[in-house]
Amino acid sequence: MCTVVGYIGNSFCSTFIFEGLARLEYRGYDSAGFACLDANSHKLLYSKSSGQLINLTERVKKEPIDGFLGIGHTRWSTHGDTSQENAHPHFDCSKTISVVHNGIIENYLKLKEDMLYEGHTFFSDTDTEVISHLFEPIKEKENVNAGDVAAIVQQLDGAYAFIAMLQTFPDLLIVVRKKSPLCIGMGDNEMFIASDVIAFAGKTNKVIFLPDESFALVTKNNVKIYDFAGNELSIVVHHTAATFETADKGEHTHFMLKEIYEQKNVIIKTVDSLQSKKTMLLEQLGFSTDQIKNTENICFVACGTSWHAARIAQFFFEAVAHIPVSVHLASEFRYNSFFPHKNTLYVIISQSGETADALEALRLINAHGLSTIALTNVATSTIVREAGGFLVTCAGPEVAVASTKAFSTQLAALYWFVHYFAYAKNAIMQENLLQAEMDIIHVAHVLENALEQHKDIIDHIHAMHYAHYDKALFLGRHISYPLAMEAALKLKEIAYVFAESYAAGELKHGPLALVDKNMPVYIFSHRDPIIYQKLLSNANEVKARGGIIIAFAYADQNELIELAETAFTISAEIPALLGPLAMIGLVQYFIYAVAKERGCPIDKPRNLAKSVTVE
Ligand code: G6P
């Protein structure tokens, strides 16, 4: 989603703002903009560009602007196209007030209509621009007081995190948050503002996470926070250990490729980290052994690839802990009927820990006083802060928009957690937990071996061949069905190929009508002999209609391998429940190679963003 970054202090701001935007560019890359108050004249200066941040960086290099306070933005468009005019910052009529915003102002049309009637001039199609105009009445005042800002924010509906900078107040930034994340890093006579702490990691470890529905008046050496009624709130300063590892592709052509290759190590790191925390994990999870024993259901809530991890983990919990599981898309969960259940453990899975729908679902569950835990890759995220407890994967920063190592570490953590959970419930023995740990590590090696084994043939033969098809069907059964869903999502995201995933048993209820010689059908096999036989029948049904089969199978599944035009195999010596984890590296690599062959911008697919902080 959009990123906002701001600075006020004794240094020129552009270096920090551009660095902060670059660190968070995964959130949106449709356009970028920067505004500052000139250090001498205090005149508001700005520069904007459509496209990626690099376009803006080049522009500002040629026509430099800088000052001691400034704001920056990268955009993921919601209202208005990706043009330079729609890039943030947005202004009031006289271009002396500027605003950068992440979120959606839901009532902007009504506000804009009234403003146009009053004679205001608009320069963009965005919802954001109304915010700048709302600040006009205070720009000529002697001071900005909390009541004035409260009166402005009370007029705005929706979700928003924004920073306002006024030419007439060169010592002040106004920072507002409702739902969308925003934090303030407190330096020495300087303040850093950003959508995520990573933007200022290394500059300060003192951070204020702006409370929901509050705003801050920020000078270089002071922060005052108020609720939307204008009442002053006390300030909680957190100490963050967040660090920023410079993202570097190394010898790889794309971040996605690097991240596919990191999987073996980060899976092992995740298991090591969970293992080493075993004795204090209950405290971190925020519940007791008795609560685990009393847990009757698990409810997973997630979006995108994290939802696929939850769909796979459903099989873990039902098979290992013998506990019923429900899995919900966060965006649907919030609007469905909710039947709160006190002996249900609600698990929110979110790589970023910032996804708006997942966060709002968590808030809904929390409001009923139920047990919640977050599984995320970012220990400082909003979802971790608001959940009752948390588990963290050790994938390290994932830069490519399409999730790879975050997904596989989620699977590893969930497979480990179900054994921990079942052991605490006395459903399995300690040896089973230790065996599970060894199995995950073994499968991490299988994942990498499968990659190594097939890499060359994919690069030299298959990628070129399969890159020509513009549609595909993905089939799986039982635990391989959500794997098929994840594979189909990857092909859509990075290769722009229309892909449909189906439970293989449903083939004859409709999708079989699509099968012909122009339709690759990807089949994801299963270790279980009965399920394998059923999949084999489905493969025969496809073959009989002239369909092209690409199979992801186990090394001993000769019948399926023979039916397929192309078969990729992995070692048969793994537990059935870990099949998706063992196969995923190979699947990701194959799709990556097809996308590369099709000339797609793999790390930053069009229209997408890594962290979706609007609903
Ligand atoms: C976006 C990303 C996906 C991700 C999804 C959920 O759509 O592009 O890769 O799976 O958000 O993100 P989360 O951070 O909540 O796991």
Side-chain angles (χ1 to χ4, degrees), residues 119-162:
H120 288 258
T121 310
F122 278 79
F123 304 95
S124 79
D125 306 318
T126 64
D127 53 331
T128 303
E129 199 174 344
V130 296
I131 307 174
S132 327
H133 291 271
L134 283 177
F135 275 91
E136 284 180 11
I138 65 170
K139 72 178 181 187
E140 299 304 342
K141 287 195 152 192
E142 232 163 75
N143 292 305
V144 172
N145 65 55
D148 295 328
V149 181
I152 291 170
V153 295
Q154 282 164 16
Q155 297 178 59
L156 297 169
D157 295 337
Y160 43 86
F162 69 81

Side-chain angles (χ1 to χ4, degrees), residues 303-306 349-353 355 358 401-403 410 493 609-610 612:
C303 304
T305 292
S306 295
I349 307 182
S350 172
Q351 182 278 130
S352 61
T355 303
V401 166
S403 187
Q410 284 168 347
E493 280 181 303
K610 187 139 194 80
V612 181

Side-chain angles (χ1 to χ4, degrees), residues 159-212:
Y160 43 86
F162 69 81
I163 313 174
M165 181 174 75
L166 286 69
Q167 185 173 292
T168 44
F169 294 98
D171 302 318
L172 178 74
L173 290 176
I174 302 166
V175 180
V176 182
R177 174 188 182 191
K178 182 177 178 187
K179 293 187 180 168
S180 306
L182 203 63
C183 47
I184 303 169
M186 302 176 76
D188 203 4
N189 277 320
E190 57 184 355
M191 301 287 175
F192 311 93
I193 299 149
S195 302
D196 191 305
V197 284
I198 293 301
F200 50 77
K203 301 263 177 213
T204 175
N205 61 0
K206 285 194 281 178
V207 56
I208 302 167
F209 294 102
L210 203 59
D212 198 19

Side-chain angles (χ1 to χ4, degrees), residues 78-79 101-106 108 127 157-160 180 614-615:
T78 59
H79 296 69
H101 164 225
N102 169 29
I104 293 176
I105 305 299
E106 287 170 359
Y108 86 101
D127 53 331
D157 295 337
Y160 43 86
S180 306
V614 294
E615 294 166 35

